[in-house]
Amino acid sequence: MSVRATARITAALDGRGVTSLPVLAGDGPLALRRTRTTGSGARVTVVGAMSAPLGGDRLTIVTRVGEGARLTVDSAAATVALPGEGREPATYDTELSVGERAELRWLPEQLVSAHGSVLHMTTRVRLAPTARLVLREEQILGRHAETTGTLVSRLTVHRAGRPLIDQQLAYGPGAPGGWDGAAVLGGHRAVGQLLFVEPTFDEKCPEARLLGDTAVLTPLAGPAVLVTALAAEARRLRGVLDEALNELLDAPAG
């Protein structure tokens, strides 16, 4: 039997200048926990309460970060997409909204596409002009010694009502030909990206450059950069993205 579940997070600044969580509502396999952090921001960890997503499941996380609030969302473990009893694909939708002078760091663990699974992931983000965003996505194509399932992932970000990025990636059976060839994955099975939106980049944005042999930093048409990386396995992928994020966070303001 398929599962339909929607989890909701709302972060807001209280009268003391501290981020509170007036809405923290898990649902089905999406359990939410407020976890310890430093400073005036808040942190929420998504804890998988059951195996999901399976074929036919419909999962959604809706997150709102109000004006001036600071929120980090991570997860307790990797998410594993598994085949279900039916033929329907699973869907996992993420809807994020970040207000004026607010900051969201969306840093889940990896998504593992198990053999035989079919998952469609959609992430939609709406940013105010002065909002800041760090968004990391990591996909592991197949568990150890198995081929990947089918994974279709779309990321759409609007800033100040205008499109900042809109891209779709597809891997596995049924994906357009060449996805596993030398021009795309080149034998790698860990793929990830890091989107960094920083309003001060309006003045000076980092220049495009290679980050090692299989990663690249690309400035976008807006105050943002996208880091795209490949690796042989999850640990190496995380290392590349973490190093890039640390460099971006340490970069002088424009």
Side-chain angles (χ1 to χ4, degrees):
M1 182 177 178
S2 61
V3 173
R4 284 162 172 75
T6 300
R8 300 182 184 276
I9 306 169
T10 298
L13 205 61
D14 66 16
R16 301 170 298 155
V18 176
T19 299
S20 63
L21 297 171
V23 177
L24 190 62
D27 188 17
L30 301 172
L32 305 177
R33 301 288 184 267
R34 179 163 189 164
T35 45
R36 188 174 301 176
T37 188
T38 58
S40 60
R43 177 183 174 193
V44 173
T45 298
V46 181
V47 180
M50 57 190 290
S51 294
L54 304 174
D57 288 352
R58 302 287 185 267
L59 308 182
T60 304
I61 298 182
V62 179
T63 300
R64 311 290 186 217
V65 185
E67 182 176 346
R70 297 175 60 246
L71 175 66
T72 297
V73 179
D74 57 18
S75 56
T79 297
V80 182
L82 297 167
E85 295 181 358
R87 296 185 178 181
E88 288 293 315
T91 64
Y92 200 142
D93 295 332
T94 302
E95 300 178 12
L96 310 176
S97 175
V98 189
E100 296 285 359
R101 298 177 300 282
E103 178 181 309
L104 173 62
R105 297 191 181 191
W106 189 265
L107 302 170
E109 292 299 308
Q110 299 91 355
L111 182 283
V112 181
S113 178
H115 176 71
S117 66
V118 181
L119 176 63
H120 294 179
M121 293 184 65
T122 302
T123 301
R124 302 181 185 89
V125 187
R126 295 193 177 276
L127 302 173
T130 56
R132 290 177 170 85
L133 174 70
V134 176
L135 184 148
R136 183 182 68 209
E137 293 186 336
E138 299 170 307
Q139 290 99 29
I140 311 302
L141 304 178
R143 294 173 292 188
H144 179 68
E146 74 172 10
T147 58
T148 184
T150 297
L151 175 62
V152 179
S153 175
R154 183 166 184 176
L155 171 64
T156 304
V157 181
H158 284 78
R159 175 180 177 267
R162 297 183 176 182
L164 180 65
I165 184 172
D166 188 355
Q167 70 171 24
Q168 180 168 296
L169 306 173
Y171 310 104
W179 64 269
D180 57 348
V184 184
L185 294 181
H188 297 88
R189 283 297 179 263
V191 57
Q193 58 186 4
L194 177 76
L195 176 64
F196 189 95
V197 182
E198 167 55 60
T200 61
F201 285 173
D202 265 332
E203 300 295 329
K204 182 180 179 181
C205 194
E207 296 181 354
R209 66 182 188 273
L210 295 175
L211 304 174
D213 295 331
T214 57
V216 62
L217 182 150
T218 305
L220 302 180
V225 297
L226 181 69
V227 177
T228 306
L230 300 174
E233 44 86 23
R235 180 181 59 82
R236 294 182 183 179
L237 177 67
R238 176 64 58 82
V240 171
L241 296 180
D242 280 352
E243 184 176 351
L245 177 58
N246 290 335
E247 289 184 10
L248 291 167
L249 291 172
D250 291 340

